[in-house]
Amino acid sequence: MTVLLLDHVAIATPDLEAGSAPYVALGLNPEGPDEDVASQGVRVRAFQVGETLIELLMPTRDDSPIAAFLARKGPGLHHTAYRVADLNAEMARLRADGARFLNEEPTPGRAGSRVAFLHPKWGAGTLIELVEHPAGGHPAGGHG
Amino acid sequence: MTVLLLDHVAIATPDLEAGSAPYVALGLNPEGPDEDVASQGVRVRAFQVGETLIELLMPTRDDSPIAAFLARKGPGLHHTAYRVADLNAEMARLRADGARFLNEEPTPGRAGSRVAFLHPKWGAGTLIELVEHPAGGHPAGGHG
C-alpha cells in the first residue's frame, strides 16, 4: 500500500479572508501563519480537520496557475493531494503504469514538503498532487 | 468543537469505471459495493483513504444535480463533506450564524447517513455538505 492519507484539499480563492469565512464558521482554525509557496505563485492558509488540511490558495502573481484557474472558473475546489512516503519511488511506479506528471521533477510545496502534480487527464478530470513531507514534518502530527 | 472530520470529497463522473482509474492506480480499493442514493439521483463508489472517503458520483437520472453539474462543468471535484455528531444542532447553530441550506431538512445520504448541503454562496464558491452517521456507522471505523 503506497498511499497513506489525504494530505489536503486545495481551494482557489481571490481573497484569503473571504475564502476563510465558511471554515471559521464550521469551527476550524488556521494552522499557523499564511505561507507563500513561490514555486506555485500562491499564498496558502491551511485549516486542519482531522488528519487532512483544507488549503486556501490565493495567487500572488499574475502568471500563477491559480490566477489562471480563477479567471477561467472562479473560486472553488482546485485539487486533492495524497501523502506518500517516497515521492520519487511513487512517481517512478506511476510512470511505469503510464501516468504523466505536470512537473517532471518534484518541486517545493508548503511546510518543507516536496510535491508533484499528475496531469488532469490522468485524474479523469481532477488535478491530483502527491506530497512527501520531510521526516517528522507530518502536518497532522507534531504541528497540529 | 463541532466539526469532527472530513467525511468525504465528492467527484462528479459520467462513468464510475473510468472515474475510478486514478484512484485504483494510486493503490486505493472501493469500499464495498456501489450504492444508489435516490435522494440525490446518484450511484456512489467510495474509496477509503485514511479517515476520509473519495466518493465518485455518477448520475442515475437526467434531473440529478450531478447530471446538471457534468453538463455545465464536466467531470471534476464537486463538494466536500464534514462529519458532525448532531446534524440538527449544527444546522440550527449555522442558521443562527446566517447560513443558508439547499435542503431545509436533512435528507438521506449514503450508508444510512443524514445529510444537508449549505448554499454554495455561503461556501465562498464551493459546495459544502454536513453528514451525520448513524450510531456505530462511522465509515472509517467498523466498516473500513
Side-chain angles (χ1 to χ4, degrees), chain A residues 1 3 25-27 51 54 93, chain B residues 1 3 25-27 51 82 93:
Chain A
M1 186 65 174
V3 173
L26 284 172
E51 65 195 11
I54 301 298
R93 185 184 75 79
Chain B
M1 186 64 174
V3 172
L26 284 173
E51 65 194 12
Y82 296 84
R93 184 185 74 80

Side-chain angles (χ1 to χ4, degrees), chain A residues 1-6 9-13 18-23 25-29 48-52 54 73 75-80 82 90 93-94 97 118 122-128 130, chain B residues 1-6 9-13 18-23 25-29 48-52 54 73 75-80 82 90 93-94 97 118 122-128 130:
Chain A
M1 186 65 174
T2 53
V3 173
L4 303 177
L5 291 172
L6 184 63
V9 176
I11 297 169
T13 181
S20 295
Y23 304 98
L26 284 172
L28 304 178
N29 295 299
Q48 188 145 10
V49 49
E51 65 195 11
T52 296
I54 301 298
K73 300 194 173 184
L77 293 167
H78 186 264
H79 68 265
T80 54
Y82 295 83
E90 187 67 0
R93 185 184 75 79
L94 289 169
D97 193 41
L118 284 141
W122 182 86
T126 76
L127 181 61
I128 291 176
L130 304 180
Chain B
M1 186 64 174
T2 51
V3 172
L4 302 178
L5 291 171
L6 184 64
V9 177
I11 296 169
T13 181
S20 295
Y23 305 98
L26 284 173
L28 303 178
N29 295 300
Q48 188 145 9
V49 50
E51 65 194 12
T52 296
I54 302 297
K73 301 194 173 185
L77 293 167
H78 186 264
H79 69 265
T80 54
Y82 296 84
E90 187 68 358
R93 184 185 74 80
L94 288 169
D97 192 42
L118 285 141
W122 182 86
T126 76
L127 181 60
I128 291 175
L130 303 179

Side-chain angles (χ1 to χ4, degrees), chain B residues 15-62:
Chain B
D15 179 332
L16 288 179
E17 294 308 321
S20 295
Y23 305 98
V24 171
L26 284 173
L28 303 178
N29 295 300
E31 151 110 350
D34 301 341
E35 182 175 334
D36 283 342
V37 178
S39 67
Q40 303 296 324
V42 293
R43 183 163 300 154
V44 183
R45 181 172 298 177
F47 295 84
Q48 188 145 9
V49 50
E51 65 194 12
T52 296
L53 297 173
I54 302 297
E55 288 192 0
L56 301 182
L57 311 182
M58 180 181 75
T60 52
R61 55 174 200 253
D62 289 347

Side-chain angles (χ1 to χ4, degrees), chain A residues 9-129:
Chain A
V9 176
I11 297 169
T13 181
D15 179 332
L16 289 178
E17 295 307 320
S20 295
Y23 304 98
V24 171
L26 284 172
L28 304 178
N29 295 299
E31 151 111 351
D34 301 341
E35 182 175 332
D36 283 342
V37 178
S39 66
Q40 303 296 324
V42 293
R43 183 164 299 154
V44 183
R45 181 173 297 176
F47 295 85
Q48 188 145 10
V49 49
E51 65 195 11
T52 296
L53 297 174
I54 301 298
E55 289 191 359
L56 301 182
L57 311 182
M58 180 181 75
T60 52
R61 53 174 200 253
D62 288 348
D63 64 347
S64 160
I66 297 301
F69 180 91
L70 287 169
R72 202 168 64 246
K73 300 194 173 184
L77 293 167
H78 186 264
H79 68 265
T80 54
Y82 295 83
R83 196 177 304 165
V84 299
D86 182 336
L87 180 58
N88 291 77
E90 187 67 0
M91 290 177 79
R93 185 184 75 79
L94 289 169
R95 278 190 174 125
D97 193 41
R100 283 173 55 203
F101 285 85
L102 294 182
N103 47 306
E104 291 302 307
E105 300 295 328
T107 60
R110 181 180 170 275
S113 63
R114 299 164 70 235
V115 307
F117 287 88
L118 284 141
H119 194 287
K121 286 198 177 159
W122 182 86
T126 76
L127 181 61
I128 291 176
E129 180 186 9

